[in-house]
């Protein structure tokens, strides 16, 4: 059974870079699209970016200038970097697997809370 | 950019039918998906490709999509169905979520 686990610092200072990693266990990262999605406290879901295991990517236009998604197939991991963070980037960050051919998500990580504060 | 609009809240009595809508321009030309999210938990996919239920999702959950509106219907609503529900679509190679609807069962 495929499981996803997010990892990374829970606290980031304003103007610095947020870095998170999603580790895929119980299955291969190959042949799937993988996404990052976030949810500010008390608010809705916001898709950030996706990456195919081969490395092709796409980003939410509203975040594109500050976000980079990458994949390491040797480690069965994919990662997210968000630069120049502000308090508005405070959120629970989820990684998720896309169902093949359906552009939606069948497996989610448990989420990791990231706070931006000095 | 494409927008999906949901009512902020819907209330339903136990055993009755709950209907949650999601509106977007010519939404019927895209596929609608629905997620259920309970407090402190990750979202769970309950409907995809307008009407399909993933394995393990009860039959009381159903979906439709026509015109500008997709609808999630929960028949015989149970207390355990109280949650936030999000619609989602795919547009111009990006993922779009609706703002979410809080379903209260009372």
């Amino acid at each position: 059974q495929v499981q996803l686990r997010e990892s990374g610092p829970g606290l980031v200072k304003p103007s610095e870079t947020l870095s998170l990693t999603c580790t895929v266990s119980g299955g291969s990262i190959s042949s799937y699209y993988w996404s990052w999605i976030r949810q500010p406290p008390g608010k809705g879901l916001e898709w950030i970016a996706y990456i195919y295991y081969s490395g092709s990517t796409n980003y939410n236009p509203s975040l594109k200038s500050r976000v980079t998604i990458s994949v390491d197939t040797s480690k069965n991991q994919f990662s997210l970097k968000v630069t120049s963070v502000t308090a508005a980037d405070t959120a629970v960050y989820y990684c998720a697997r896309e169902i093949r051919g359906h552009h939606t998500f069948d497996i989610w990580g448990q989420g990791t809370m990231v706070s931006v504060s000095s | 950019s494409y927008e999906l609009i949901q009512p902020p809240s819907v209330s339903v009595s136990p055993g009755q039918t709950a209907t949650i809508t999601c509106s977007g321009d010519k939404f019927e030309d895209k596929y609608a998906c629905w997620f259920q999210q309970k407090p402190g938990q990750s979202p769970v996919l309950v409907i995809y490709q307008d009407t399909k239920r993933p394995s393990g999702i009860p039959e009381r959950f159903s979906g439709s999509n026509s015109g500008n509106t997709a609808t999630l219907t929960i028949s015989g609503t149970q207390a355990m169905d109280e949650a936030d529900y999000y619609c989602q679509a795919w547009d111009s190679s990006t993922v779009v979520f609706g703002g979410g609807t809080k379903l209260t069962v009372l």
Side-chain angles (χ1 to χ4, degrees):
Chain A
Q1 181 181 357
V2 174
Q3 293 184 315
L4 308 181
R5 187 182 78 252
E6 305 90 350
S7 59
L11 181 64
V12 182
K13 290 182 167 55
S15 80
E16 295 189 345
T17 297
L18 179 163
S19 297
L20 296 173
T21 296
C22 181
T23 300
V24 180
S25 60
S28 174
I29 202 168
S30 298
S31 304
Y32 285 94
Y33 282 89
W34 305 89
S35 275
W36 285 98
I37 296 156
R38 70 182 183 180
Q39 186 172 35
K43 296 188 177 181
L45 301 169
E46 179 181 37
W47 172 75
I48 302 170
Y50 69 65
I51 189 165
Y52 193 47
Y53 79 103
S54 61
S56 62
T57 61
N58 204 11
Y59 296 92
N60 184 324
S62 68
L63 297 169
K64 186 174 183 177
S65 64
R66 298 193 295 125
V67 172
T68 303
I69 190 171
S70 59
V71 65
D72 186 338
T73 54
S74 68
K75 294 182 179 179
N76 238 29
Q77 294 177 333
F78 62 105
S79 298
L80 176 74
K81 290 188 187 298
V82 182
T83 61
S84 305
V85 298
T86 69
D89 294 307
T90 294
V92 175
Y93 285 75
Y94 296 100
C95 57
R97 187 185 81 171
E98 187 175 304
I99 302 176
R100 283 179 179 146
H102 288 286
H103 304 306
T104 191
F105 311 103
D106 62 342
I107 300 176
W108 294 63
Q110 64 184 15
T112 187
M113 179 68 200
V114 179
S115 298
V116 178
S117 175
S118 56
Chain B
S1 61
Y2 196 74
E3 283 191 87
L4 294 174
I5 307 297
Q6 298 181 236
S9 63
V10 168
S11 297
V12 64
S13 300
Q16 299 303 302
T17 296
T19 300
I20 301 174
T21 59
C22 178
S23 298
D25 185 45
K26 298 179 182 177
F27 201 1
E28 66 182 353
D29 293 340
K30 309 178 190 301
Y31 282 129
C33 311
W34 292 91
F35 293 90
Q36 176 194 70
Q37 187 181 32
K38 296 182 179 179
Q41 298 183 17
S42 303
V44 173
L45 182 68
V46 294
I47 294 289
Y48 68 102
Q49 203 171 318
D50 292 341
T51 60
K52 297 184 187 300
R53 276 180 293 105
S55 174
I57 300 302
E59 290 184 8
R60 64 179 181 274
F61 288 87
S62 63
S64 63
N65 189 2
S66 179
N68 293 324
T69 303
T71 302
L72 173 68
T73 302
I74 310 173
S75 305
T77 306
Q78 300 182 10
M80 67 170 64
D81 300 328
E82 185 163 288
D84 293 327
Y85 289 85
Y86 295 90
C87 59
Q88 180 247 306
W90 173 260
D91 176 75
S92 301
S93 299
T94 65
V95 174
V96 181
F97 287 101
T101 298
K102 182 175 180 61
L103 176 67
T104 302
V105 182
L106 42 68

